[in-house]
Amino acid sequence: MGRLAWPLRPLPDGRGEIWRWRLGALAELPPARASLRSHLGRLGIPGDPDDECSEQLVLAFDELASNALRHGESPVVATVVAGSGGWLLDVSDRAPGTMPAPVVDRDPAQGGMGLQLVARLSVAHGWYVDEDCKHVWACLPTNSDEQTLAIA
């Protein structure tokens, strides 16, 4: 079973409204997702499953945060920057020596495909180490036109 590298890249400069969650356990993810959906609703973004881009942001948030909680060290801090150019998602944990490594050649039914999924949904992604924290990030589009570019 091989591994693909998740690119080592600095966080892009993101400007916009910042939402942040400090997570200590997987049980905290459902309320964090609900809070993210609530923030999206306050921006006037529909909270229904028909809005692909907001649901993909919530999915990417869940995938990166759950990876950090499972494979990193607490505390995990998930940050979303709601900018005019898209969503910037940054998830940090206290395991700077463990790089994100998507698995390949695995049956998707066995799980472990979250990083590939986030990479496919994003227009850019990467990770970096800042002092004693590892940050895994992704930039996601805010509309379906940008989404087409991410998937192409």
Side-chain angles (χ1 to χ4, degrees):
M1 183 178 320
R3 291 193 177 265
L4 295 174
W6 188 264
L8 179 60
R9 293 184 186 146
L11 186 69
D13 182 24
R15 299 187 197 305
E17 188 171 339
I18 298 174
W19 308 322
R20 184 166 285 133
W21 297 264
R22 187 178 171 100
L23 305 166
L26 288 169
E28 296 172 23
L29 279 175
R33 287 191 308 267
S35 174
L36 176 55
R37 284 188 176 100
S38 176
H39 284 301
L40 292 169
R42 283 195 292 278
L43 287 180
I45 297 168
D48 59 45
D50 293 333
D51 179 23
E52 283 185 22
C53 290
S54 64
E55 281 305 303
Q56 289 170 353
L57 171 64
V58 174
L59 176 61
F61 174 93
D62 187 69
E63 289 293 340
L64 293 186
S66 65
N67 278 355
L69 288 164
R70 284 185 180 101
H71 306 295
E73 294 179 26
S74 292
V76 169
V77 177
T79 305
V80 174
V81 179
S84 60
W87 309 112
L88 176 56
L89 171 60
D90 175 58
V91 178
S92 66
D93 68 57
R94 299 284 180 170
T98 306
M99 69 178 244
V103 295
V104 295
D105 301 330
R106 176 188 279 174
D107 181 350
Q110 294 179 342
M113 308 301 285
L115 289 174
Q116 289 98 320
L117 176 63
V118 173
R120 184 150 173 84
L121 296 175
S122 64
V123 293
H125 61 278
W127 72 286
Y128 67 99
V129 173
D130 181 23
E131 296 182 13
D132 58 349
C133 289
K134 172 182 68 222
H135 294 259
V136 180
W137 61 267
C139 294
L140 289 104
T142 55
N143 65 50
S144 57
D145 292 338
E146 294 168 353
Q147 181 64 33
T148 302
L149 293 174
I151 293 174

